[in-house]
Amino acid sequence: MTERSAPGSRAPAPDAARGKRIDRLGEALASFATGVTLVMVADGRDDIGTTVSAFCPVSWSPPLVLVSLIADSYPAEVLGRVDRFAVTVLSTTQRVLAGRFAVAGRPGARVLLEGTPHDRGEASGALIPGGGLAALECAAVQRVPAGDHLVVIASVLTVPYVADSGGPLIRFAGGYPSLG
């Protein structure tokens, strides 16, 4: 039976919130297949990009999405102070690109996009690689510290493109399997 709290009171923190290790949590979470995106930000000095699999729609009206970034990462630091960014939903043909933007200590996004067609978003100023399944330009409306991550809820400003065809790049069990 689950213990219920009185309305307005805070629920007790689970053991994991107190630092207890949860056996096989990494394996369990890796068994959840998810799409892969690139989140790109222009911060005035450089173009920053990172591979993100923690992306999801939140609301149709108003149009909201969320991304979750490792809190002590440079992309999270930049998104903590810059409101506008772009998200590209990657296709199966962009596996190498996803890998480039996932490596620790990577150079700026312009260097990583050399040889890859891309544009600069009109609404976000961020770089948007071509060849994805879709691209969205967003404006952060809420930032929520969540454990070792920063969750950014954002309003969708515009959709620069949606591909007519192509398969999604999927992350599953630490790899990028093909569908079918």
Side-chain angles (χ1 to χ4, degrees), residues 33 36 76 80 85 87 117 174:
V36 181
F85 61 97
V87 177

Side-chain angles (χ1 to χ4, degrees), residues 20-90:
K20 181 180 175 190
R21 178 174 154 74
I22 304 296
D23 289 334
R24 303 190 70 192
L25 178 61
E27 291 173 78
L29 297 178
S31 69
F32 178 71
T34 183
V36 181
T37 67
L38 283 184
V39 172
M40 307 288 262
V41 185
D43 78 345
R45 291 175 287 179
D46 200 3
D47 293 291
I48 310 304
T50 190
T51 301
V52 173
S53 58
F55 165 83
C56 72
V58 173
S59 169
W60 284 98
S61 181
L64 299 173
V65 296
L66 74 74
V67 297
S68 179
L69 305 164
I70 297 170
D72 64 359
S73 69
Y74 186 60
E77 177 190 325
V78 173
L79 265 179
R81 58 183 159 77
V82 175
D83 288 333
R84 295 194 175 200
F85 61 97
V87 177
T88 302
V89 179
L90 298 182

